[in-house]
Amino acid sequence: MTRAWRAAIGVAVALAAGAPAARAQEDGVRAALQAHGVAAEVVEAVAAAADRARAGGLPSGPLVDKALEGWAKGVPGPRIVGAVDQYVGRMAEARALAREAGIADPPGEVIAAVAEARLREMAPEQVREVLRAGRSGARVATGLKVATALAAQGLGAPEAVRVVTRAMRQGRGVDQLLDLPAQMRALEADGLGMGEITRRMLGGGAGGAGGWRGAGGAGASPGGASPPPPPPGGTRSPGSGQPGGSGRGPG
């Protein structure tokens, strides 16, 4: 048997072995959507988009999340399908951006986080800055989500990136990063302006990104009370204290 024939047989065996896994993933996409009562035509369109994403080495889970978000919000089916199709391209761009930042093989959670950050108009260089500050997929993805959340709360993207990257370089863990939006809201509730909030969250005031240092001592909020502990089990969305969800749905 020639080397070429052996190579051809090897490829055929690999494709045959991968086919059941691909079918299982496709069935999983359909099952997830059908379990939430998504219309049949939307299910088929999203499943087709998920197939294209997987064929390109991209995750399919974010597409399911995007479709379910839109469906829960009552977005018409054609708009959901259009947003999901567009998101495949956004994820391809996100993967390229992550590679530019030095992550040779970005995991799906990072690709999805970059795509969401860009969808919310975070500049490419700001995204790269967060990516370079992280040390693991989970921290990088969380850092991007938190920076996006802080910017949405009014901190401003450049300042949000500075706060998050400083916290990441100080070795703050995922839970500590997720608490940053709640810390910002507490400072707002005390009547502080954005300039002072930024200064404090960067460590220049009573409370910094590493935890509160108010009247109650280390780990206390500006009012002296300790921040609420994270909920038992599950993941959280940034600063919410609730199980995590995906970003903005089809708009």
Side-chain angles (χ1 to χ4, degrees), residues 30 33-34 36-46 71 76-77 80-81:
R30 286 190 170 87
L33 296 171
Q34 290 167 347
H36 289 80
V38 178
E41 62 273 16
V42 176
V43 170
E44 292 306 312
V46 174
W71 188 256
I80 293 175
V81 172

Side-chain angles (χ1 to χ4, degrees), residues 157-177:
E159 292 79 11
V161 168
R162 286 174 60 205
V163 167
V164 169
T165 54
R166 177 183 172 88
M168 293 172 76
R169 290 182 177 121
Q170 289 175 336
R172 307 305 177 191
V174 168
D175 280 345
Q176 290 171 307
L177 292 173

Side-chain angles (χ1 to χ4, degrees), residues 133-136 138-140 142-143 146 162-180 183 200-203 207-213 218-219:
R135 298 175 186 172
S136 70
R139 287 182 76 246
V140 167
T142 300
V146 170
R162 286 174 60 205
V163 167
V164 169
T165 54
R166 177 183 172 88
M168 293 172 76
R169 290 182 177 121
Q170 289 175 336
R172 307 305 177 191
V174 168
D175 280 345
Q176 290 171 307
L177 292 173
L178 288 170
D179 281 338
L180 289 175
Q183 293 182 9
R200 292 198 181 199
M201 295 192 75
L202 285 169
W212 298 119
R213 294 177 179 82

